[in-house]
Amino acid sequence: KWRGEMRFNFEFSNLCGTVYSEGNLIFSPDGGSLLSPVGNRVTVFDLENSKSVTLPFENGRNISCLALSPNASVLITVDEDGRALLINYKRGTVLNRFNFKSKVSCITFSPCGVYFAASHGKNVEVWATPSLAREYAPFVLHRTYPGHFDEVLCIDWAADSSHLISGSRDLTARIFSLDRQEEGFPVSLTGHRESVIAAYLGKEEGSAITVTRDGAYIEWRKRKPEDEDGEQPLVLGKRKEGGRHTTQGWHLHDRHFFMQGKAQCATLHKKS
């Protein structure tokens, strides 16, 4: 006689019928996959095999930003309320939960993978990258960088992970150094007409790029000590008293405009 049995060991397989609403898109380090927030979950698109899978965890609210470590082992997702999940990306398991206690507009790992930076209102916070071992308090704050007068919108790291740049609604971009003893930092790049929606440190030392809401693409250069001949470049700031600096030695090198309305987002391919 056949006897029916009820199963209770169901496992999440995939999510169908959902669309992208907000948050940043990121590629896996090998470029073969694209990670996209879909509501309060994360969908991974396999670009090589034309497949997609939704990871089996979920945030409490819609995901506003996410970041994947350079070795593709640690994934951090942050929702609209600033609550984050620490995830073992390769296994798809949640290791810990953390509350930034503020809206996080952007989050990104350093190229070396030792740190990650996150916006925290008007400040930039640099944290040590948590390990994959389960710990009581895996998030350790390395340093807080103040200076902006409005919400931080974007963050980018230098290729050697020694410096980072942030853009804000206060129409400025600031360059910070991880080394507390390094002179000449922070540097403030001013003169933008609207919010800085993207900021990057160039592959060459002493170069930076900012993109603003009005479609302006601005290249910045740090003036070398030996560049004394010829016309002096425009320096947009001076040394402040007490050892503090603004745009000491930095000048606007070039400017272009995207004449097709307001810019919503921008990205830079640094290798080219």
Side-chain angles (χ1 to χ4, degrees):
K1 183 178 179 179
W2 179 83
R3 177 179 296 178
E5 296 182 357
M6 184 175 294
R7 294 181 57 189
F8 293 95
N9 59 338
F10 294 102
E11 295 182 357
F12 177 81
S13 176
N14 208 343
L15 188 64
C16 303
T18 57
V19 295
Y20 168 86
S21 58
E22 63 175 322
N24 59 310
L25 307 177
I26 56 175
F27 284 96
S28 59
D30 60 3
S33 301
L34 177 68
L35 283 71
S36 169
V38 180
N40 62 343
R41 292 180 178 270
V42 176
T43 296
V44 180
F45 297 92
D46 187 340
L47 304 178
E48 298 176 349
N49 301 312
S50 300
K51 297 180 180 179
S52 66
V53 60
T54 301
L55 301 181
F57 55 83
E58 58 182 350
N59 288 70
R61 298 283 301 275
N62 287 343
I63 296 175
S64 61
C65 56
L66 51 85
L68 182 65
S69 62
N71 61 358
S73 61
V74 177
L75 175 66
I76 299 178
T77 62
V78 187
D79 65 20
E80 300 169 334
D81 294 334
R83 300 180 184 275
L85 296 181
L86 174 64
I87 300 150
N88 184 327
Y89 175 67
K90 296 181 178 179
R91 293 189 177 184
T93 57
V94 177
L95 301 177
N96 209 300
R97 300 174 185 269
F98 183 77
N99 187 0
F100 283 99
K101 300 180 181 179
S102 177
K103 178 183 177 182
V104 178
S105 301
C106 52
I107 182 171
T108 179
F109 281 91
S110 63
C112 65
V114 178
Y115 303 100
F116 72 87
S119 65
H120 191 270
K122 303 176 184 179
N123 300 329
V124 175
E125 293 184 344
V126 174
W127 298 75
T129 299
S131 66
L132 295 179
R134 292 186 179 272
E135 303 177 23
Y136 177 73
F139 289 86
V140 178
L141 181 63
H142 173 72
R143 189 178 177 186
T144 299
Y145 296 90
H148 286 292
F149 297 96
D150 207 336
E151 180 186 3
V152 174
L153 300 178
C154 53
I155 300 173
D156 183 55
W157 288 86
D160 59 358
S161 303
S162 61
H163 301 84
L164 64 156
I165 186 173
S166 61
S168 170
R169 293 188 190 274
D170 65 2
L171 316 185
T172 68
R174 295 178 69 85
I175 303 176
F176 304 100
S177 173
L178 282 184
D179 185 0
R180 297 174 183 266
Q181 306 300 324
E182 185 173 0
E183 295 184 357
F185 291 92
V187 172
S188 179
L189 306 179
T190 62
H192 304 94
R193 298 177 181 176
E194 291 201 27
S195 302
V196 180
I197 62 172
Y200 305 96
L201 290 175
K203 60 181 180 181
E204 298 180 359
E205 185 179 357
S207 64
I209 295 172
T210 56
V211 181
T212 59
R213 185 75 67 188
D214 60 350
Y217 168 93
I218 304 175
E219 296 183 12
W220 304 84
R221 293 290 186 272
K222 184 177 181 181
R223 181 163 161 252
K224 298 179 181 179
E226 60 270 18
D227 295 340
E228 297 294 340
D229 54 338
E231 183 180 354
Q232 297 296 326
L234 173 63
V235 179
L236 300 180
K238 298 180 179 179
R239 177 189 291 267
K240 291 183 178 180
E241 296 181 359
R244 298 294 297 276
H245 289 69
T246 53
T247 51
Q248 174 80 10
W250 286 76
H251 66 277
L252 192 155
H253 176 72
D254 201 0
R255 189 200 302 261
H256 304 275
F257 287 93
F258 179 71
M259 308 297 292
Q260 297 186 21
K262 300 293 184 181
Q264 300 296 325
C265 59
T267 186
L268 175 70
H269 190 261
K270 289 188 177 182
K271 294 183 179 180
S272 60

